[in-house]
Amino acid sequence: MKEIDQLLLSNRAWAAEMLHENPEFFQRNVNLQRPAFLWIGCSDSRVAPDQMTQALPGGLFVHRNIANLVYPTDRNLMAVLHYAVNVLEIAHVVICGHYGCGGIQAALDGTVEGPIADWLDHAYQVLNDHRAEIEALPPGEERVNRLVEVNVRDQLLHLAGTEPVQSAFAAGKPLTLHGWVYDLRDGHIKPLMRIDADTVLAELPQPERVLL
Ligand code: CO
């Protein structure tokens, strides 16, 4: 059987299983979504937000891109963010990076060209802003993984500065931004930091190093 056919077959098996567990499941999802979380993560196939958090369909509103970068000029992400905050009234936005991120590795190596290099502009910026700390570490995994952590921090700051988030903060809406990192080696998500309306962005500290 072709690999692609396996996807369709697995989908039918999944739908049957869901229906067996809860005959109302799909009907309930048809007319309404009320997710409590917006997830902004890396496109990496090994980092699967729904499975990692055991979220069911309807649980997570999701945006993914290479290296979980936040550009206020990214129409895709800004539309997702606007809809999440203003229409769905989501109270928690998560940016989740992951150790061993190929995008962050590429930014560190500086070897990619073309569309990926263009996309990674913010990641290069993070590296430039934290170069002294990163280069004080042994080359290889340690540098990549620390850059993953500070990238989450800096993207969280970009996110905090966007119009939908600033407006929600100003209006007193209950909105919290969370910076997390996922460890491919043990499947654990580790919280790094959070931002809410009371956070003074100029005083946001570096996250603790959580990777041993
Ligand atoms: Co990645």
Side-chain angles (χ1 to χ4, degrees), residues 42-44 47 66-68 98 100-104:
C42 185
S43 298
D44 193 304
V47 187
I66 292 173
N68 42 273
H98 67 101
C101 181
I104 295 299

Side-chain angles (χ1 to χ4, degrees), residues 69 71 103-104 106-113 116-131 147 151:
L69 303 177
Y71 292 90
I104 295 299
L108 200 53
D109 295 345
T111 48
V112 288
E113 294 175 348
I116 299 177
D118 292 344
W119 173 252
L120 289 175
D121 195 43
H122 261 179
Y124 295 124
Q125 188 62 49
V126 176
L127 175 59
N128 278 332
D129 291 347
H130 302 272
R131 191 174 287 280
L147 193 56
N151 180 56

